[in-house]
Amino acid sequence: MREHSSFLNARTLRQLTQYSSIGVVSFILDISTTNLLVWQHVSPRLAGFAGILVAFTNSFLWNRYWTFKGSTTTLRRQLSRSAITGAIGGTINALIYDFLLRKFSLPFNVAKLLAGGVVIVWNFSGMKFWAFEPKDQPPKTTE
């Protein structure tokens, strides 16, 4: 069986490990940004959104130059597709975060952790298979 022929192969596991490491750093940036802004009397919802933006920027740069560095897609395509994937993930994250704050009155950090945990599956899949298309799969043309 060729290495790229299944989802859970050595390459994907390495990428998932790298992606997860970047995710931990991005999550710390997200939580730090959110907390810093809340401590500055910014609403938790707005602060949470700002945290997501900081985390997305960090994730894109590290994933482009480390996790998915063999991608065949252009920077423009990677950025636009990452932004779309991230926007959908960010929307899902924000909706879950807001839902947990309103319905369960969870502390905002707990809500952030739970929302982020759900969204990681969406984001990794979108980044791996769409935003940063694998090297062994040529980018699709829209002709």
Side-chain angles (χ1 to χ4, degrees):
M1 182 179 284
R2 295 174 63 192
E3 182 184 358
H4 67 276
S5 62
S6 71
F7 180 75
L8 289 176
N9 56 47
R11 179 180 179 198
T12 299
L13 291 175
R14 177 184 49 77
Q15 288 175 327
L16 183 58
T17 300
Q18 291 171 314
Y19 184 85
S20 297
S21 299
I22 293 165
V24 168
V25 172
S26 294
F27 180 73
I28 291 168
L29 289 171
D30 183 354
I31 285 289
S32 298
T33 301
T34 301
N35 276 279
L36 178 65
L37 292 173
V38 167
W39 291 333
Q40 297 298 315
H41 308 290
V42 174
S43 81
R45 286 173 184 81
L46 183 58
F49 181 73
I52 291 167
L53 290 178
V54 170
F56 170 76
T57 302
N58 181 72
S59 293
F60 174 77
L61 293 172
W62 278 104
N63 283 316
R64 174 172 166 69
Y65 294 109
W66 187 40
T67 307
F68 305 112
K69 65 183 172 189
S71 174
T72 58
T73 56
T74 65
L75 173 62
R76 180 180 289 165
R77 180 174 281 176
Q78 289 173 351
L79 186 56
S80 64
R81 289 181 173 189
S82 292
I84 291 166
T85 301
I88 293 168
T91 300
I92 294 167
N93 187 308
L95 290 171
I96 293 170
Y97 178 68
D98 186 63
F99 175 77
L100 293 172
L101 289 175
R102 283 186 299 106
K103 295 294 182 184
F104 298 102
S105 300
L106 292 176
F108 66 91
N109 283 332
V110 173
K112 266 309 222 189
L113 180 64
L114 293 173
V118 171
V119 173
I120 193 171
V121 174
W122 162 264
N123 283 343
F124 178 75
S125 298
M127 295 298 179
K128 177 173 176 57
F129 296 110
W130 190 56
F132 299 99
E133 287 181 285
K135 188 176 186 177
D136 55 334
Q137 294 180 2
K140 297 174 185 83
T141 60
T142 56
E143 298 170 45

